[in-house]
Amino acid sequence: INMDLVLREIERWIVERERQYVCACPVFTVMECRRDARLRTIVNRAGLATPDGMPLVWLARRQGFRQVSRVYGPDLILALCQLSAQKGYSNFFYGGAAGVAQELAQTMARRFPGLRIAGTHCPAFRPAKTLEEPAVIEKINATKPDIIWVGLGSPKQDWWVAQHRPLLDAPVLIAIGAAFDFLTGRVAQAPDWMQARGLEWFFRLAQEPRRLWRRYLINNPLFIAYILMQSTGLRKFETDW
């Protein structure tokens, strides 16, 4: 998969009103899926599961899929908002800390004149796997968005889009990770050269070591170990649906 293919598929969903959800997947999501079979099913049943990190791109290319490129969350928001401004699609932003979704909507509206903003909502904190209040679902459906962006952090956002897919009328729900904070400037993005070399994890770890050390210093080596075991035949991983 690559960005062009993702945009074409999402536009098809909008035109045909086919209700789907997207999971943007870095290595962390893959590792969480190995630990939780229910989450693995959610990601495997997504209309699209995109490679949000370079290690997944490299692995896909190594397996012979040379057309694969990174579908980075912030880039996907920018590309789809640009397409939305051209085609008249409306966008709803759900998630983030207080005021972040509204700030992102304003930022995108300034950047892409003509972009239709259906609405925004910053949810109260609640445990993962908890359904949203019916009044909020009604509020979102009343705005009739084509795309709902969900920024709650992984894997909470992946649970959210899967659980709420039957309740929401919008054809496209996208679990988009930290893109809300990146695009509003609340969290700095790694330089392009670090992203291209798969070093974004190091940049983020240096920014937030207390919060992210477990994610990167445990998951990354374990991910590499799993890849080596799989490639040498020491372990086989079944795809659970």
Side-chain angles (χ1 to χ4, degrees), residues 138-155:
E138 293 176 8
K139 167 190 170 182
I140 296 173
N141 284 334
T143 66
K144 301 185 182 304
D146 296 302
I147 302 167
I148 300 175
W149 300 97
V150 181
L152 296 175
S154 182

Side-chain angles (χ1 to χ4, degrees), residues 94-96 123-124 150-158 160-161 175-178 180:
Y94 175 100
V150 181
L152 296 175
S154 182
K156 187 174 183 178
Q157 63 194 9
D158 304 296
W160 197 95
V161 295
I176 206 64
F180 281 32

Side-chain angles (χ1 to χ4, degrees), residues 7-8 11 78-89 112:
L7 293 177
R8 288 205 297 269
E11 184 168 21
L78 294 175
L80 262 179
C81 283
Q82 182 178 39
L83 180 66
S84 295
Q86 295 168 354
K87 299 296 184 71
Y89 304 143
F112 302 104

Side-chain angles (χ1 to χ4, degrees), residues 14-231:
I14 296 173
V15 171
E16 298 179 5
R17 310 311 291 179
E18 180 179 329
R19 299 199 298 176
Q20 297 279 5
Y21 63 87
V22 179
C23 296
C25 300
V27 165
F28 176 71
T29 299
V30 174
M31 296 305 295
E32 289 295 294
C33 285
R34 292 310 314 162
R35 298 185 181 102
D36 188 334
R38 292 174 298 172
L39 178 63
R40 186 158 67 245
T41 297
I42 284 172
V43 173
N44 282 335
R45 288 180 177 173
L48 288 168
T50 66
D52 189 61
M54 286 306 298
L56 302 183
V57 173
W58 295 331
L59 284 171
R61 290 176 179 174
R62 186 178 178 84
Q63 294 296 320
F65 300 97
R66 303 303 302 175
Q67 81 281 6
V68 172
S69 62
R70 187 184 188 194
V71 182
Y72 181 43
D75 291 344
L76 180 57
I77 289 184
L78 294 175
L80 262 179
C81 283
Q82 182 178 39
L83 180 66
S84 295
Q86 295 168 354
K87 299 296 184 71
Y89 304 143
S90 61
N91 291 254
F92 193 103
F93 297 91
Y94 175 100
V100 173
Q102 183 177 10
E103 184 180 349
L104 177 58
Q106 293 170 347
T107 299
M108 293 300 100
R110 288 194 299 269
R111 185 159 183 169
F112 302 104
L115 177 66
R116 292 174 57 202
I117 303 297
T120 66
H121 182 74
C122 176
F125 176 80
R126 56 172 58 89
K129 310 175 190 177
T130 303
L131 286 176
E132 182 55 86
E133 295 290 337
V136 175
I137 298 299
E138 293 176 8
K139 167 190 170 182
I140 296 173
N141 284 334
T143 66
K144 301 185 182 304
D146 296 302
I147 302 167
I148 300 175
W149 300 97
V150 181
L152 296 175
S154 182
K156 187 174 183 178
Q157 63 194 9
D158 304 296
W159 282 98
W160 197 95
V161 295
Q163 289 182 298
H164 293 85
R165 177 60 288 179
L167 305 176
L168 293 164
D169 299 331
V172 186
L173 312 182
I174 305 180
I176 206 64
F180 281 32
D181 289 330
F182 289 148
L183 291 175
T184 55
R186 290 171 179 252
V187 175
Q189 294 187 67
D192 290 344
W193 69 268
M194 293 189 79
Q195 293 187 37
R197 290 165 175 80
L199 294 174
E200 185 177 11
W201 68 271
F202 182 79
F203 183 88
R204 294 197 65 195
L205 178 62
Q207 284 185 306
E208 301 180 82
R210 294 183 64 182
R211 187 175 74 87
L212 298 175
W213 73 268
R214 188 181 301 273
R215 173 182 295 196
Y216 294 125
L217 298 185
I218 293 178
N219 279 319
N220 287 7
L222 188 57
F223 178 76
I224 293 170
Y226 280 166
I227 295 302
L228 291 175
M229 285 190 285
Q230 179 173 277
S231 62

